[in-house]
Amino acid sequence: MAEAQDVETLKRRGRRRLVGAVALVLAAVIVLPMVFDPEPKRADVAVNVRIPGENETRFAPKVAPKAPEQKVEKKEAMEKKVEEKKVAAGEFAVQVGAFANPDGAIAKLAAARVPYYTEAAKGNLTRVLAGPFASREAAEKALKQLKGMGLDRGVIVKAG
């Protein structure tokens, strides 16, 4: 029984010493860097800020030219005219689909020599339409041709 108490006493002392050692290591890790480096490191780059007084020269902002906006408007107007001319030729068209990247559908239409045009849709989608066709029968014939090419989701719509 005396030996069991001695073993327990030794275990307690060992645990206390271990906890004390961990506390000392943590204190050394936290405190020693602060002791050896009392001032924080400063940036070598000096920033020079000068605020002008009220009586000094006035602020003159640079004005951007408005020419690019006019060019964009002219491009849009020309695109609308081209679309109007294409649509005015007939009453019906076949909507091939709306694509984020219409290159594949356009390539198939061009290879089959089917007339086509594109329109901007919601978001970044582009509607691809085959036509315009003068009659509904011509549009139905083109739709059958498109289905044979693998573009089977075509729908006949009124052009314009």
Side-chain angles (χ1 to χ4, degrees):
M1 199 157 126
E3 290 179 19
Q5 287 180 351
D6 290 338
V7 172
E8 285 295 317
T9 308
L10 289 174
K11 284 184 180 180
R12 280 188 205 150
R13 286 183 186 169
R15 282 188 216 129
R16 288 179 186 162
R17 286 182 182 173
L18 184 61
V19 169
V22 169
L24 286 174
V25 168
L26 283 174
V29 167
I30 294 171
V31 173
L32 286 179
M34 288 189 277
V35 170
F36 289 120
D37 192 16
E39 293 183 26
K41 293 182 180 178
R42 296 185 184 191
D44 293 336
V45 179
V47 178
N48 187 10
V49 178
R50 182 180 171 275
I51 300 174
E54 289 183 24
N55 296 333
E56 292 184 26
T57 60
R58 296 188 58 127
F59 175 72
K62 295 181 181 177
V63 179
K66 294 185 179 181
E69 293 176 10
Q70 294 172 352
K71 290 180 183 178
V72 171
E73 291 175 4
K74 288 180 183 178
K75 275 187 175 180
E76 290 176 359
M78 291 181 70
E79 288 176 2
K80 287 181 182 179
K81 288 180 183 178
V82 170
E83 285 183 14
E84 288 174 5
K85 288 179 184 177
K86 289 180 181 177
V87 174
E91 294 183 20
F92 296 95
V94 177
Q95 180 176 332
V96 178
F99 305 96
N101 185 5
D103 296 336
I106 290 174
K108 286 183 180 181
L109 292 171
R113 295 186 179 178
V114 175
Y116 67 90
Y117 61 99
T118 61
E119 295 177 346
K122 291 182 182 178
N124 63 344
L125 298 177
T126 303
R127 281 180 55 184
V128 178
L129 295 113
F133 301 104
S135 65
R136 185 171 187 86
E137 291 79 22
E140 288 174 359
K141 183 179 174 184
L143 180 60
K144 287 180 185 177
Q145 183 182 0
L146 293 175
K147 286 184 179 181
M149 294 175 6
L151 300 171
D152 55 348
R153 295 190 178 203
V155 178
I156 297 175
V157 295
K158 288 248 184 193

